[in-house]
């Protein structure tokens, strides 16, 4: 218990604030529902409508666009989400800094929610039935946590996560695919179609943001082969996915939505596509010197620099975890 409290005290500020807000809104919603009547069958009796977004009520409660991500009324999903925020969220904030982490969190909170709303509006129009606008709640950490797995893959794709005292080992590179496979099934069984939407949208939005838009120094995005869209799929499916994604990429470039590969290669890479922040005790001093002495890479060296940065991020993660176990 003492080690858990110590870990919580050492959390970076944005991670700590996110966990506090999620706990407050989620537990408050659970208590309000426990005291309410017929909330499960009558949406207008659900006290969660004041903080959890329902598409048909967004004009009445517009602030739910900001709060709905942090409302997780299922106890098990709440505990899982808090653990992910305390571990993965902490790591991402330490690597990207508080500002970069909050920027990523803001994108994962708003964009999937807005797209999910648009999808429900379209479904309502096609089916000529407005029930779905009120019966389906859109919210929870599903989209954020799905995006977190994409961020982990970008930073340390070759790292292996061991759980249950080493009984199960998972490569970070495989986490996004595993998450987007397992959790939609789980949300379907729980009767939460909004969660199914957010898991898939969170994955896609996180990839697009980190691949093409997130700024690191003078560079936008990460165009390295290790972070290509096809790399999220099994090897046998990658040729087909690569052809389809190439077509989508050319259309997006033609529409001016993203920078072309030529434009990307003209940018200075600086610290590469990754902001590797080495923070901690003296055993990381040698890594701090490596980061400080690095010089910008340009042009065709960008991908090699990004790959080297991933190796450095993996080494930092290894040393941090080793220090935690001591």
């Amino acid at each position: 218990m003492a080690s858990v409290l110590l870990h919580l005290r050492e959390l970076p500020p944005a991670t700590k604030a996110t966990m506090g807000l999620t706990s407050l809104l989620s537990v408050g919603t659970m208590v309000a529902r426990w005291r309410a009547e017929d909330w499960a069958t009558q949406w207008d009796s659900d006290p969660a409508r004041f903080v959890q977004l329902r598409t048909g009520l967004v004009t009445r409660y517009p602030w739910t666009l900001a709060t709905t991500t942090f409302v997780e009324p299922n106890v098990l999903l709440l505990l899982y989400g808090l653990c992910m925020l305390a571990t993965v969220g902490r790591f991402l904030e330490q690597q990207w800094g508080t500002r970069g982490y909050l920027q990523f969190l803001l994108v994962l909170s708003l964009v999937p929610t807005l797209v999910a709303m648009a999808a429900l509006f379209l479904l309502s129009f096609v089916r000529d039935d407005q029930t779905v606008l009120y019966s389906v709640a859109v919210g929870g950490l599903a989209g954020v946590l799905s995006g977190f797995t994409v961020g982990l893959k970008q930073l340390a794709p070759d790292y292996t996560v061991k759980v249950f005292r080493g009984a199960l080992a998972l490569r970070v590179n495989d986490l996004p695919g595993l998450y987007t496979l397992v959790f939609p099934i789980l949300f379907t069984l729980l009767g939460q179609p909004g969660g199914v939407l957010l898991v898939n949208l969170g994955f896609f939005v996180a990839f697009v943001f980190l691949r093409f838009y997130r700024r690191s120094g003078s560079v936008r995005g990460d165009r390295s082969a290790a972070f290509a869209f096809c790399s999220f799929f099994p090897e046998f499916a990658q040729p087909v996915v690569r052809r389809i994604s190439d077509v989508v990429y050319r259309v997006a470039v033609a529409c001016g939505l993203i920078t072309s590969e030529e434009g990307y290669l003209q940018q200075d890479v600086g610290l590469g596509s990754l902001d590797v922040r080495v923070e901690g005790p003296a055993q990381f001093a040698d890594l701090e010197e490596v980061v400080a002495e690095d010089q910008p890479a340009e042009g065709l060296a960008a991908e090699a620099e990004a790959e080297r940065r991933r190796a450095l991020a993996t080494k930092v993660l290894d040393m941090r975890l080793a220090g935690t176990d001591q």
Side-chain angles (χ1 to χ4, degrees):
M1 185 64 180
S3 61
V4 173
L5 293 177
L6 178 62
H7 178 78
L8 292 176
R9 282 198 297 267
E10 293 177 347
L11 290 175
T15 299
K16 192 180 298 184
T18 304
M19 291 180 63
L21 179 62
T22 302
S23 300
L24 177 65
L25 293 178
S26 300
V27 174
T29 297
M30 292 179 198
V31 172
R33 280 182 168 179
W34 178 68
R35 300 180 61 182
E37 297 180 358
D38 299 327
W39 66 265
T41 56
Q42 299 181 24
W43 58 265
D44 55 347
S45 299
D46 185 3
R49 69 186 185 278
F50 297 108
V51 290
Q52 190 177 44
L53 185 143
R54 292 180 186 268
T55 306
L57 299 176
V58 69
T59 54
R60 190 184 304 179
Y61 310 116
W63 58 84
T64 56
L65 282 170
T67 59
T68 191
T69 297
F70 308 103
V71 179
E72 195 64 83
N74 182 289
V75 176
L76 294 180
L77 291 178
L78 173 61
L79 293 176
Y80 169 76
L82 292 176
C83 288
M84 288 286 285
L85 288 173
T87 53
V88 181
R90 175 188 184 184
F91 177 69
L92 294 179
E93 184 174 356
Q94 288 174 333
Q95 298 303 306
W96 293 336
T98 298
R99 181 177 179 180
Y101 175 74
L102 286 176
Q103 184 186 50
F104 188 55
L105 192 63
L106 179 64
V107 171
L108 290 179
S109 299
L110 288 180
V111 178
T113 300
L114 292 173
V115 176
M117 284 178 54
L120 291 175
F121 268 121
L122 180 62
L123 180 62
S124 173
F125 175 78
V126 171
R127 295 171 54 179
D128 193 22
D129 180 11
Q130 294 188 355
T131 304
V132 69
L133 300 180
Y134 301 93
S135 61
V136 177
V138 178
L141 293 169
V144 170
L145 300 184
S146 182
F148 276 9
T149 65
V150 179
L152 274 179
K153 172 181 166 60
Q154 186 201 33
L155 287 170
D158 297 324
Y159 188 78
T160 301
V161 178
K162 296 181 180 180
V163 295
F164 304 120
R165 297 184 177 181
L168 179 63
L170 299 171
R171 289 180 66 237
V172 167
N173 194 63
D174 300 327
L175 289 181
L178 184 63
Y179 191 92
T180 53
L181 174 65
V182 172
F183 274 80
I185 298 175
L186 175 61
F187 283 117
T188 300
L189 295 176
L190 292 174
Q192 298 184 20
V196 178
L197 280 172
L198 291 178
V199 166
N200 292 283
L201 290 171
F203 161 77
F204 185 72
V205 168
F207 169 76
V208 171
F209 178 70
L210 295 176
R211 179 75 168 174
F212 300 108
Y213 294 107
R214 181 180 179 272
R215 182 174 290 280
S216 175
S218 60
V219 174
R220 281 188 181 275
D222 175 4
R223 306 294 182 91
S224 60
F227 196 57
F229 187 68
C230 62
S231 69
F232 289 86
F233 294 82
E235 289 188 8
F236 70 88
Q238 288 185 10
V240 175
V241 175
R242 186 180 294 110
R243 293 190 186 95
I244 297 174
S245 61
D246 284 346
V247 173
V248 176
Y249 166 77
R250 287 194 291 270
V251 172
V253 170
C255 295
L257 299 176
I258 60 176
T259 307
S260 67
E261 193 70 22
E262 292 75 14
Y264 172 77
L265 292 176
Q266 292 174 1
Q267 301 177 83
D268 292 336
V269 174
L271 290 181
S273 60
L274 306 176
D275 280 337
V276 179
R277 295 172 178 262
V278 184
E279 302 171 355
Q283 65 260 37
F284 303 133
D286 57 332
L287 292 179
E288 292 175 345
E289 293 176 1
V290 171
V291 174
E293 292 174 0
D294 281 339
Q295 298 297 323
E298 298 184 62
L300 296 175
E303 185 169 333
E305 178 70 7
E307 298 298 337
R308 192 174 67 82
R309 288 292 163 184
R310 286 192 175 84
L312 180 58
T314 301
K315 187 175 181 181
V316 171
L317 184 56
D318 275 329
M319 294 180 69
R320 282 209 182 102
L321 293 179
T324 302
D325 294 338
Q326 292 176 356

